[in-house]
Amino acid sequence: MSRLIIFALLFLWSATVSAQDTVGPIGSVEAGDFRALAVTADGSRLLIADAENDQLRVYDFNDPATPTLINSVDLEGEPVAVVAAEDFALVAVRTPDSGDAVRVIAPSRYSRPQGWREINSLDVQEGVSRLVIAPDNAWVLALSPRTYTLIELLSAGEINWLPRDSALVDAAVGNDRAYLLNSSGLSTETLSANVTMQSAAALELDGAARRISLNVRLTLGVIVLNESDLLLFNPDTLETVSTLTVDGAAITDAQFVSGEQGEWLALTREGSSDITLLDVSDPADISEREPLTTGFETPVQALTTYNELIIATDGQTVRIFQS
């Protein structure tokens, strides 16, 4: 009899651990045509690019379980990407003009009610599709099909930018260094005042590059190769830390999740509403966790992370998860 009780207790403990490994939603935002997501550096604002209304929605995010809309900002263009600094945002928009733009959205400190509004705008090359920002909020890269634009952030109202004629697959930025990914290799350039760039180092890649991401501490980076291969590297030296192949559909995005329990990679997959989670706390010994089941009926369209939070959308609903 005692053995049966022990087995039953072990079964219940195992079920509890499995349930804890499955991350559940803690909050959500409904309705819209959501294209991109970002959280301000202090974690107080959730920003959602709404292409249905050509707006940036700004939410109070101090309680992630109940995001509260502050206001929506008209953008005069279709938003496709958004990044957030400490207290302002940059939104890439497609315009009917010959080029596109990056709108700078910040709190309106001198009007009532005190919502957010557009205070600056930068011209970029046509077809802008992606923005990446440095963890220290000093630099942004805006990617277009045949060019990219380096943006130096001094403040929301004081910005320097420089277009560069080079086609990139993806890019990342941090520690005054740009990580520029093309189809067959990674190159880095040192960044300095007045949008000055100087070649630093290069890494040849064995496979077709698709995506690059850095963790917020800039101690680990990941490159997605081919469809489902990952290369983890040291951002300082570009030395390879580990490589692995993740079973399943092609990886469409990779974002680091940093929490008190460790560090993970959140991967979105082509045609999937689930998010693959890899424990990379020890990059030399990577393990796969239970996938995050979002509950979306259609594939994940956009993903962002903030500390231990994972924020995802299928285009119609934004859901917030805590790892």
Side-chain angles (χ1 to χ4, degrees), residues 301-318:
Q301 298 296 319
L303 172 76
T304 194
T305 64
Y306 181 80
N307 293 339
E308 75 281 1
L309 298 177
I310 299 172
I311 304 108
T313 182
D314 62 348
Q316 298 299 312
T317 302
V318 174

Side-chain angles (χ1 to χ4, degrees), residues 27-37 46-59 69 72 296 312-319:
S28 65
V29 175
E30 301 288 341
D33 180 6
F34 302 143
R35 300 292 180 86
L37 309 165
L46 171 65
L47 308 169
I48 302 176
D50 179 5
E52 180 177 354
N53 300 296
D54 289 347
Q55 292 178 333
L56 179 71
R57 295 192 189 185
V58 183
Y59 288 83
L69 183 65
S72 298
F296 295 140
T313 182
D314 62 348
Q316 298 299 312
T317 302
V318 174
R319 289 182 177 153

Side-chain angles (χ1 to χ4, degrees), residues 144-164:
S144 298
R146 294 176 298 278
T147 66
Y148 68 92
T149 301
L150 174 65
I151 302 171
E152 181 183 13
L153 302 178
L154 303 176
S155 68
E158 188 177 359
I159 295 175
N160 299 321
W161 72 100
L162 178 70
R164 298 288 298 267

Side-chain angles (χ1 to χ4, degrees), residues 181-195:
L181 192 66
N182 59 46
S183 59
S184 60
L186 172 68
S187 63
T188 66
E189 299 208 14
T190 302
L191 308 177
S192 54
N194 300 316
V195 288

Side-chain angles (χ1 to χ4, degrees), residues 21-23 37 246 252-255 257 264-270 272-278 288-296 298-305 309-314 319-321:
D21 285 343
T22 302
V23 184
L37 309 165
V246 185
T252 55
D253 197 8
Q255 299 285 335
V257 184
W264 302 273
L265 263 178
L267 309 175
T268 57
R269 317 298 290 271
E270 192 172 279
S272 176
S273 62
D274 291 343
I275 297 174
T276 301
L277 296 176
L278 302 179
E288 187 167 349
R289 300 177 63 191
E290 289 292 321
L292 189 159
T293 302
T294 65
F296 295 140
T298 55
V300 175
Q301 298 296 319
L303 172 76
T304 194
T305 64
L309 298 177
I310 299 172
I311 304 108
T313 182
D314 62 348
R319 289 182 177 153
I320 300 110
F321 304 86

Side-chain angles (χ1 to χ4, degrees), residues 44-46 58-64 66-70:
S44 67
R45 299 292 182 263
L46 171 65
V58 183
Y59 288 83
D60 185 319
F61 201 54
N62 286 293
D63 180 3
T66 57
T68 304
L69 183 65
I70 296 174

Side-chain angles (χ1 to χ4, degrees), residues 1-15:
M1 180 68 178
S2 60
R3 288 185 177 179
L4 289 175
I5 294 173
I6 291 171
F7 285 141
L9 290 173
L10 286 172
F11 176 80
L12 289 173
W13 176 83
S14 175

